[in-house]
Amino acid sequence: MNMRKTYTALRLLLLLAILPAVTSCLKENDDDCFDEVSKVRIIVRTIAEETRADALGRIDNVVIYIFDEQQRYVGSWQGDAYTYGQTYVAEFDIEPGTYHFVAWTNQGQIYDKTIPTYGKDDPAEALVISMKYPEDGKITDDIDDLHHGMFTDAQVIEAADNEFTVILRPNTYKLNFTVEGIPPGDDQYTFTVTDNFLQFAFDNSVIELEENTIEYIRTAGFTDENIYSSMTVLKIMDGRTPWFDFSDSTAGESLFGDDLVDMIKKAYAANGRTVDFEREFEFDIKLSFRGILGVTVSVNGWKYNPNEGNIG
């Protein structure tokens, strides 16, 4: 079942002004009219459906930015919510030629372009997606999910079936925490991931702003005999160094800390595995406090002791 496309009146006027997907004329001047337009049909899917994995976050809207062969902005298409397992289609008319289609999800709330006036003929490299966050840099609620997909060098031919598929991959990752082995009590405990702020270029390359530090923070107490929490963070990848800390916030004491990426990689490596951050987007992290034996770390079931190496 095709997803229905919804446009506000303002959105429709915008597309009529800048996008040949809606009209054969871009301006009132007849010299700017196209003699021919071709129909384009884009099938949008997620990597979860390609790999038969679980759904990877909520998608409230999909925006497809359209660039010509010289990577100049032509216009955009926006559709409503994405439902996993259902066919999601973007359809529009455009002049025959070579195009690049770039898809982003959940635009207009906490994610948006860094240049509000970004418009027709602007270069692709000027399209940067950024996240709004509190002035103090402390993020205490889950952020919206963010996905990116791209189809390059699409050949749009006159009077042909121009169908292309764009695969969405998450740029937000889910961390689920469990802590065991601490005697139950009334203290509150805090999970913190400290990271440099990230922005994303049109091709999904990462722009890391080292001068802007953000903290993802969750505070929790005991549930039964364990402590549980979870958070959503921006992209986790090799070569980056976000810091993970677990602390007793009541006592003001850090109980465990490590480089998050390194910790995940060490847990996999201790069991002869290699993590692929381009295909794994959710990590179950368990800290097991064992008294004088220290802390055992488990990531997605792969265990290691930071002081002893592989423990099976």
Side-chain angles (χ1 to χ4, degrees):
M1 179 180 67
N2 288 352
M3 298 295 295
R4 60 184 175 86
K5 299 178 288 294
T6 59
Y7 295 87
T8 63
L10 179 61
R11 181 69 179 173
L12 183 58
L13 289 173
L14 174 62
L15 291 178
L16 286 169
I18 69 172
L19 180 59
V22 180
T23 179
S24 60
C25 297
L26 293 181
K27 300 178 182 178
E28 293 181 359
N29 189 337
D30 290 341
D31 293 337
D32 293 314
C33 292
F34 298 128
D35 293 328
E36 299 291 341
V37 294
S38 296
K39 293 187 178 298
V40 172
R41 174 182 169 92
I42 298 179
I43 308 297
V44 179
R45 293 173 58 83
T46 72
I47 189 65
E49 290 150 323
E50 292 293 300
T51 60
R52 298 183 179 180
D54 293 335
L56 297 171
R58 177 174 170 173
I59 299 176
D60 291 327
N61 64 58
V62 177
V63 177
I64 298 177
Y65 296 93
I66 304 165
F67 301 91
D68 65 16
E69 188 172 13
Q70 287 73 44
Q71 295 190 356
R72 295 173 302 193
Y73 179 62
V74 175
S76 63
W77 176 97
Q78 178 168 336
D80 55 6
Y82 182 100
T83 301
Y84 288 88
Q86 295 186 8
T87 302
Y88 191 101
V89 179
E91 293 180 314
F92 49 84
D93 297 334
I94 202 167
E95 184 182 27
T98 300
Y99 294 92
H100 312 289
F101 304 124
V102 178
W104 289 98
T105 66
N106 295 334
Q107 299 295 286
Q109 296 297 320
I110 69 168
Y111 301 113
D112 213 337
K113 302 179 294 296
T114 57
I115 304 176
T117 57
Y118 187 85
K120 190 175 184 301
D121 292 330
D122 283 344
E125 58 265 26
L127 176 63
V128 176
I129 301 300
S130 188
M131 179 182 74
K132 301 174 185 176
Y133 61 92
E135 290 185 6
D136 63 3
K138 299 182 186 300
I139 300 173
T140 56
D141 295 315
D142 270 345
I143 60 176
D144 293 344
D145 297 294
L146 178 66
H147 308 73
H148 171 273
M150 191 171 182
F151 193 105
T152 60
D153 297 316
Q155 303 298 315
V156 176
I157 302 171
E158 181 182 342
D161 293 329
N162 298 292
E163 183 171 295
F164 311 96
T165 300
V166 171
I167 305 299
L168 299 173
R169 293 175 176 271
N171 272 4
T172 43
Y173 288 48
K174 186 72 175 291
L175 304 176
N176 304 308
F177 302 111
T178 300
V179 177
E180 62 182 13
I182 294 177
D186 296 328
D187 283 8
Q188 291 291 296
Y189 295 84
T190 301
F191 302 85
T192 304
V193 173
T194 303
D195 198 2
N196 293 329
F197 181 60
L198 301 182
Q199 295 177 332
F200 299 94
F202 78 101
D203 61 355
N204 208 35
S205 57
V206 170
I207 303 169
E208 187 167 357
L209 303 181
E210 296 184 357
E211 67 277 13
N212 291 27
T213 300
I214 56 177
E215 293 180 309
Y216 304 92
I217 302 171
R218 294 292 181 277
T219 299
F222 279 91
T223 301
D224 298 325
E225 295 184 351
N226 296 331
I227 305 167
Y228 303 97
S229 192
S230 65
M231 64 175 61
T232 302
V233 301
L234 289 176
K235 192 175 181 69
I236 298 174
M237 57 189 294
D238 274 323
R240 303 193 55 252
T241 58
W243 184 261
F244 167 66
D245 179 80
F246 171 69
S247 63
D248 182 333
S249 49
T250 301
E253 177 185 5
S254 176
L255 303 178
F256 179 84
D258 201 353
D259 179 310
L260 177 63
V261 172
D262 193 46
M263 181 178 71
I264 294 172
K265 292 171 65 176
K266 286 186 295 188
Y268 275 65
N271 293 272
R273 304 282 178 162
T274 301
V275 61
D276 184 353
F277 290 114
E278 293 302 317
R279 299 187 70 84
E280 297 185 61
F281 311 103
E282 184 166 357
F283 297 96
D284 297 326
I285 299 172
K286 178 186 286 187
L287 304 180
S288 300
F289 286 81
R290 304 187 299 155
I292 62 172
L293 297 178
V295 181
T296 298
V297 177
S298 170
V299 181
N300 287 351
W302 305 116
K303 299 178 183 179
Y304 88 103
N305 187 298
N307 299 316
E308 299 173 8
N310 181 18
I311 65 169

